[in-house]
Amino acid sequence: MIQDALGIWIAALLTLAALSFLYKDNPFFRFAESLFAGVSLGYYVGIVLNQTLEPNLFEPMRQDFGQNWDLLVPGLLGVMLYVRYVPKIAWVSRYALSIYVTYYIGVEFTRRIHGEVLPQIGRAMLPLSRFDLPTLYSAVFVVGVFSVLIYFFFSREQNAVTRPIARLGVWFLMISFGAAFGFTVMGRVALLIGRLNFLLQAWLYPLFGITS
Amino acid sequence: MNFDFGRVALVLVLAVVPIIGIALGMRAPALRSRIPILIGIFAGLIPIFSLYIPKQFLSGPTGMSPRLDQWLIILAGFALLLGIVNVVQNNSRKISRREKGWFFAAVLLIGLLVTSAFGIWGWWTKMGIGFMPDGSPTPFKWVEDRFFQPLQSTIFSLLAFFMASAAFRAFRARNTEATILLIAAGLVMAGRVPLLEFLAAPFPPLHPSASAASQFLGGLAERIMDIPNGAAQSGIIIGAALGAASMAIRVILGIERGYLGLGQGE
Amino acid sequence: MTGRGKRRAGTAPVFPARRRGAAARPAPKLPLLLLLAAALASGFPAAAFAIAPEISPPAPPPIEPPTSFTALDRPGDTGGAVLLTWKDPPTLPDGAAIEILRSEPPAYEWSSLALVKPGAGKYEDATAADGKLYRYEIRVQAPVDAATGAARVSPPVVSDSVSARDNWFRTGRENSLIASILFVAIVLISIAWARSGHEIFIRRISGLNAVDEAIGRATELGKKVFFIPGIQSMDDIQTIASIAILGFVARSTARYGTDLDVPNKDPITFVSAREAVRGAYLAEGRPDLFREEMVNYVTYDQFAYTAAVSARMVREKPAAIFLIGYFFAESLILAETGQSTGAIQIAGQADPTQLPFFVATCDYVLIGEELYAASAYLSREPVLLGSTRGQDIAKGILILLGLAGVALASFGNTWLSSVMKTQ
Amino acid sequence: MKRIFTWLLKLDRRWIFLFVLFSVATPIVFPIGLPVTTTDSTRRAFEYLESLKPGDTIWLSFDYGPSSAPENDPMAEAVMRQCFLKHVKVVVLALYPLGGLGLANTAVAKVTAEFPGLRYGEDYVNLGYKDGAAAVMRRLGEDIAGAFPTDVNGTPLSRIPMMRGVHDIRNVKLVFTAATGVIGEWWITQVHSQIGTPVVIGPTAVSAPKYYAYLNAGQLVGMLSGMKGAAEYERLLRDTYPQMARFYKSTRTFTATKGMDGQTVIHTVMIAFIILGNLAFLVTRETGRPEAAA
């Protein structure tokens, strides 16, 4: 129980210290920020050890080494990564880095062409044959997609035809940015409400004995 | 011991060849960058081929592509230690030289040591980092709930304030583009909440029309999100995907290699 | 057809395990009705009526079996699955389901695999072993008839023997394979073209023109340049683009002798960023100016990193801040704090989610593809310019294709847009 | 006049922060009670739950974490209250890995305390958290005890009275998922499409748009979109059960209705600031820093 009350006090004071940054940088904020940096790094030590390395490496090796002997290789690659602290052979770390980067970049390549370019361009192929409201919406959509794409031409100077289209593309971009900004306000305010709720209900109300 | 073709091939190319490459590199400096790039080409082609070739040795549940994925998750886990070493170096130097703010460096290091000790302890004792058998939190969990969580969500919630100050400053009708930005933002913001009903609250005769207008604004906001916003997003995504794919080709072929500390070009 | 039905009805008592369905349950109480049910199922209603004419109310009509039944290796998979397809019979009793059974020839033991809702028309047996022969059987199973208390099934349909196998091509991905090959070809040809000495123009990108201006200002004021490479690892290509830009920024700071600070959230990005900065200082001939602390690690948590970097901005008041890479919600906290310190801010992200916040708070923003054009723009190297040119050609083709698709769709032809669907 | 505008243009952003703090905090402490107009998707969800009979069982999944709690908590609480009023049994579970279980425990403790007659194991049960949401869902179609052998306290399901008639997810009348990420979508694609159990979803406002497609396709019974949807649900609940008003009037607890008050006020304040800023800008024609070149 005492542990819990202490926990709430700690959480509440840290919340206030973090909020104080809005006024200006101050020692309380600096304390909270430094503590946060340290605790969060330690937190990920715990998470990586218990939730990444344990189930992906230690557990399979213990359970069935014969099926998982190859998991020793990432250990080897990990050692190569650390070799960069020995300046003379720092270049050895390139092996680990190069494998890590290119594998994921290969994944990215397929994801972009297969998962983004084709479906997105397919989505823009809307019929524009009728005169009604949905067709108008489709037309706006189609114009938007292609004018934005024309804005992204780099290797040619914009001319009398493409300049106005690219400008239209910029307008579409601006609508999109403004709308997305306005759309996000609500979710961010909900976060603040969550913090204020915590301060009120877990800390202040019990402190002043408000229960109803 | 399991010696599937895929697994053995992976170990040969990504472990045995690098070891040979390192041995050669000790003698011939030119190979210090060439062999890693060659191996990179191999690693980069695996997921691409795996998308189109469903063969067991490549794409099966323990085929080359999923297996390499698991390897690299482990590698990324190991990499965290690189960061920790750097943080400990920088902060302990601050403390030992009594630089300005050394006290906060000490706070940081204590937080790091205590929390990671709890995490390691939970792993070592098999207790884990969640709850103990009697339902009470482990020390790690307690630190998470009382230090980590509140700080994380408070910093996150600062966004509510920054949204307001950024909106006030940025949304000015300076030119056509800025005006469009401003109007779109205003309409969507107004459409997300019963704003007109709030403003009409003191005037009962206006309630029905305010409510109708509110609904209309809501529909309009949704439409803006759907059509012009959706179109612009599509355009950005297609363009960016082409740029990313072409960059991917350059990286896999070793043309772009700044991340290895090597210059641009050949 | 009927012959098979006869065999099935007859074998029922021999393989009770197969008869776990509704038909088996009433057996102890109503043997006669069971017989009736079996007879109905076997397509011999007349015989059944002959045995028990009195108890039978108007008999429910016989159930038709499914048609066009095929069993094939599921195409384009890693093996271990057989694909069954069929057409439901035109009329089905209420609540009926399609039962699927499997046997391993030469044995005739049929084991039930699944009950499928009508309308599915296909079933994937993912329990098949590669190379092993199977036969499949399907039939319609209707619920117990309320009037007679008997379960009703249609005559079964049996497939030819089939086996699952490991395949060389994932069917249905021809479109993206062709697109990928074409794209790689376009980019490589453009690079070769650029290398052979052809001039390639690249239009002005104001965010990139400002890079030198920003670093110049920092040099004049004697203040730091901050470079924040996003919070993702090197598994995201935006981070790689960011590290490439960092290389150019570091060359400038090395040239002018300006102080640089690159705080990191991801450890692998941290290693790469350090290599890139070290390489840049070396390339400019100023390894003496490079300090390890320039590229430093902060923490792995998104918001702890944000708090620490924001605090550093406020305390050190850098003259220029680069926010280039893959950012999430922290984008606005960093950029708004940076804005309040009065620094020139240049942001860049290819993913559209955080662009609105950068546009609202930064002086220059690299939007979408501009991020990837940056290294070509800054270096003017033929290889990079060539690949940017290749992107443009691909984009032109896509726009033409897209417009053709719109035109076709307007005439009611959706062929082109269905070609674009990937699986 | 011009001086005021010049001052406004150079306004220290900390004044704005103060405004934000007050406009959000005040309605939470002193509810305004703005009118909430209900939308069709929320009404459909409410009416479906109203149509359930005493003794039916529903499934309430906590598929969100602390960061979206202000949006999702009120939904889960309102649904629980409605069920307990109607004597519908509630099975609570959590599939969201980062903190879903903690939120479930808190919400269950809070709402069950409001209904003194309830008995654990007969009126409601808490199955706790299971890792691997999609796999768990597929398991639920075969056998609930296979996915959750015990409840959160370690009691085997076979010894929990209300679980006796509930062998698999088909025996449940409705799945309600309060969701922040993709888990909510899986309830539709893994459970509703494969097994047929009706689903109502309560997503965060940000992810709501993508669920309209499912709603229109009839794959969802109804939807509570974000805090607004939760506030609508609270209003329907208050209108149908006047005795509920006391829970929603209390200063002590947070409700979506209060949250929406705060949201409305802050949105209004922000728009007012933007308008004032533009007015000041147009009057003084003063250009500040060069802004965002695209």
Side-chain angles (χ1 to χ4, degrees), chain A residues 16-35:
Chain A
L16 292 180
L19 282 175
S20 72
F21 182 61
L22 290 170
Y23 179 64
K24 64 178 217 184
D25 188 26
N26 63 72
F28 297 109
F29 173 72
R30 192 155 187 192
F31 177 83
E33 170 248 309
S34 309
L35 187 67

Side-chain angles (χ1 to χ4, degrees), chain B residues 195-211, chain D residues 35:
Chain B
L195 181 140
L196 291 173
E197 290 167 73
F198 172 51
L199 294 178
F203 315 103
L206 290 180
H207 284 181
S209 45
S211 162

Side-chain angles (χ1 to χ4, degrees), chain A residues 3-81:
Chain A
Q3 197 192 25
D4 212 46
L6 178 71
I8 287 180
W9 270 90
I10 292 172
L13 293 179
L14 287 176
T15 301
L16 292 180
L19 282 175
S20 72
F21 182 61
L22 290 170
Y23 179 64
K24 64 178 217 184
D25 188 26
N26 63 72
F28 297 109
F29 173 72
R30 192 155 187 192
F31 177 83
E33 170 248 309
S34 309
L35 187 67
F36 189 18
V39 167
S40 64
L41 195 50
Y43 172 79
Y44 281 99
V45 171
I47 293 290
V48 165
L49 197 57
N50 288 277
Q51 293 178 359
T52 304
L53 295 183
E54 178 65 27
N56 284 302
L57 179 63
F58 302 134
E59 177 86 33
M61 294 274 255
R62 267 201 308 267
Q63 296 266 323
D64 189 350
F65 183 77
Q67 284 293 327
N68 294 297
W69 57 275
D70 58 305
L71 295 183
L72 289 171
V73 178
L76 178 79
L77 295 177
V79 172
M80 288 185 193
L81 217 48

